[in-house]
Amino acid sequence: MVLPAGAPTPGVVSRLTEVASRIANLPGAGLLTVVASVAVGVVLANFLVRLIGRPVARRVSRQSVAQTIVRGVRAGTIGAALLVGLSAAGFRFSDLLLGTAVFSAVIGIILAPLVGNFINGVFVLADQPFEIGDMIELEDGTAGFVEDITIRYTKIFTLDNTFLVVPNGTMRERDVTNLSAEDERTRRSIDVLVTYESDIPEARRRIERAARDCEAVIDGGPDIRIGVARYMASPDCRLHEFGDNGILLRLRYWVKKPYKLPKVQSDVNTKIRQRLGDPEANVTMAYPHRHLVFDDTSGVARVEAGSGTSKGVDPDASAAATPDLSDDDAAGSDRPGTDASATSNDGGARHDRKDRGGGGAGR
């Protein structure tokens, strides 16, 4: 028999088969096969990522979705290589399925939160409530920038220079405020309470001028459109309500960038205080006042000169304990060694003591 040129001889094939069988019979050969297959899968995955990374980034506008696609290709390639390695090592997947069916209930309970995060991650990527780079604020007041969005969690770089990793299941249950979606301009408000005697038109003008003096505040321009409504772009101060202690003025202004809102509000407050504190402004900032009124129903306060303390006394008991000075005054002329003038003075002194002890201090 004549073999074609370049064809291996039967002796070479038999030798290769024998070598492969000997390698397969070595201890740990199956594990080495799986490891080698996974290593090849990692190399292939890196190559595919470099190959499709830029085209995917150009065609997909959302960075989070593009990163998810690239990560999916990498994970899928490595997973396929792992399955190939297990198959080459002689692993039977029917045994795996049988064993998984036995422990399916336990595995389902353990993996339920993880599966939930995966599903919620898909919804976060599909609903697009925020994107990488957006500044968001959680319902508990935590603010920061979205650093990364994966299929399992969302990573937030907070303003306190810390990382906050929130599972997507929890992220979808929270109220998230996106401060930098589409239009970054943000409206803020400040309440200022002035007295009823203040010059209200002048107070409004000075408050608006204080906001315009801040560089981060929009001081004019065309109205800002939100939906079908339009709002004044320049600072606007209006009389909000008549309060118990003064007139409440509410300033509304727009900030160009939402990244330093507390600092901008502090600057506006400082300038408002400076302008309203001007003596020529005829404007006084109001604060609560309290008036204490004592009448006949307020009781009696007895003051002890030695201790310097006052004690509350019942009016009836105090009246019973106080002697009737009018009778003493009437009988003062009968006392030996007294004349009319002395009696009159004594009666005046007695009446003065009665006023001090009976309720003059309380009234």
Side-chain angles (χ1 to χ4, degrees), residues 90-103:
F91 184 81
R92 291 183 300 178
F93 292 97
S94 59
D95 297 340
L96 176 63
L97 295 177
L98 181 61
T100 304
V102 175
F103 299 100

Side-chain angles (χ1 to χ4, degrees), residues 16-33 88-90:
L16 292 176
T17 304
E18 183 180 357
V19 171
S21 61
R22 289 181 179 180
I23 294 175
N25 293 328
L26 292 176
L31 179 60
L32 292 177
T33 302

